[in-house]
Amino acid sequence: MLTQTTTRVLGPEDLDAALAVLHQDPVANAFVTSRVQVAGLDPWRLGGEMWGWYQRGHLTSLCYAGANLVPICAVPEAVRAFAERARRAGRRCSSIVGPAESTRLLWSLLEPYWGPAREVRACQPLMTTDQPSEVPPDPLVRRVRRDQVETLMPACVAMFTEEVGISPLAGDGGLLYQARVAELVNAGRSFARIDDGKVVFKAEIGAATPEACQIQGVWVAPEFRGQGLAAPGMAAVLAYALRDIAPVASLYVNDFNTAARATYRRVGFQETGTFTSVLF
């Protein structure tokens, strides 16, 4: 007997069921959960569709299809259903990102139609902690003020370009990216050490829910690298995160970035999972 399954675009009436799936792994799902808690499931407000996969009438897996394609708690049969829907719709995302097993399967099914990717980062350790660091925090790392956005922006652009391989100013001249940077500053989730008008260290809390938050955009100005600024800077951001944002902080990092992984371990983060990113 075949198991009855179906896939469809979710709507506002499905919010509680979708949140129940997201809450199965509040750390790994923090990015999508934070968007859903703010915007609900209306595609216009959410910035994309939320696809749901049902087994015997029960919602068990999700896939966020917006600027990123993100499988969520997706079993292999659900991944195959999401891949078929994505194939029919055509590629609209700039990346596929999520837990390694489901993301790798999703990409293997889409690569014949969407490939080649610009880059595949197959192993990105997910690191988490719920404890303040034993590393003394840098007291000069503070929340970025609204009047400091213009000072912060060159550092954000440099970090993005270095990390992703393309400038965030391409396409629309950076309007969307600048708006996102300003949004995080206004929300009190952007942190930096600014010496003599120059950003020396910075990081943001890009996603935040009551259960978990995700640190991103960690960057030290090239001329200050190797001076021991990263660990105290991260300890300061972690202190803000655990005190003001959520009881658990996470981040994910490229496996080849051994220096960053060592810094995060020193600060107190432990590897608890693996993400994969496919960049277009």
Side-chain angles (χ1 to χ4, degrees):
M1 181 177 177
L2 294 177
T3 301
Q4 183 181 0
T5 63
T6 186
T7 307
R8 67 177 178 86
V9 177
L10 303 184
E13 68 279 5
D14 303 303
L15 179 60
D16 288 344
L19 286 172
V21 175
L22 288 163
H23 287 155
Q24 291 177 24
D25 192 340
V27 175
N29 298 332
F31 165 69
V32 176
T33 303
S34 66
R35 295 187 67 91
V36 170
Q37 288 180 335
V38 171
L41 293 178
D42 176 76
W44 186 84
R45 294 187 62 219
L46 185 60
E49 294 180 338
M50 184 70 78
W51 303 339
W53 186 79
Y54 289 79
Q55 187 172 35
R56 296 177 181 172
H58 181 64
L59 181 65
T60 61
S61 299
L62 304 170
C63 187
Y64 172 69
N68 310 297
L69 191 65
V70 186
I72 301 153
C73 300
V75 298
E77 190 175 355
V79 172
R80 286 188 279 271
F82 294 146
E84 177 59 24
R85 178 176 284 271
R87 184 192 65 78
R88 293 197 308 266
R91 184 175 72 82
R92 303 172 184 174
C93 59
S94 60
S95 68
I96 306 173
V97 59
E101 184 176 356
S102 56
T103 302
R104 291 172 189 170
L105 176 58
L106 183 58
W107 175 233
S108 73
L109 297 169
L110 288 173
E111 185 176 12
Y113 308 98
W114 287 10
R118 182 168 57 83
E119 186 177 357
V120 177
R121 299 177 179 178
C123 183
Q124 296 176 301
L126 174 67
M127 306 184 74
T128 65
T129 184
D130 60 1
Q131 297 294 321
S133 179
E134 294 183 359
V135 174
D138 184 344
L140 297 179
V141 172
R142 298 165 185 162
R143 276 191 168 92
V144 176
R145 303 190 310 265
R146 294 181 182 181
D147 63 352
Q148 294 175 314
V149 172
E150 290 188 5
T151 301
L152 177 68
M153 186 60 65
C156 292
V157 171
M159 177 281 304
F160 187 99
T161 304
E162 184 177 330
E163 172 67 19
V164 180
I166 57 174
S167 171
L169 305 182
D172 66 351
L175 293 178
L176 285 176
Y177 186 70
Q178 291 178 54
R180 176 57 175 164
V181 171
E183 177 187 353
L184 291 175
V185 170
N186 291 337
R189 303 206 322 252
S190 178
F191 305 89
R193 173 173 172 170
I194 302 175
D195 292 350
D196 298 323
K198 180 178 178 59
V199 175
V200 172
F201 166 90
K202 75 156 200 77
E204 295 88 40
I205 298 174
T209 75
E211 294 82 23
C213 63
Q214 187 177 91
I215 299 172
Q216 64 178 39
V218 181
W219 183 83
V220 176
E223 62 269 34
F224 291 96
R225 293 174 187 173
Q227 298 183 22
L229 296 176
M234 278 298 295
V237 175
L238 177 61
Y240 281 110
L242 296 180
R243 185 190 68 201
D244 299 339
I245 307 295
V248 178
S250 72
L251 53 84
Y252 61 96
V253 60
N254 294 314
D255 61 339
F256 54 79
N257 195 342
T258 54
R261 291 172 68 182
T263 294
Y264 300 147
R265 284 194 296 268
R266 182 182 168 205
V267 172
F269 286 87
Q270 296 181 340
E271 297 183 7
T272 57
T274 306
F275 271 36
T276 289
S277 295
V278 180
L279 308 179
F280 299 107

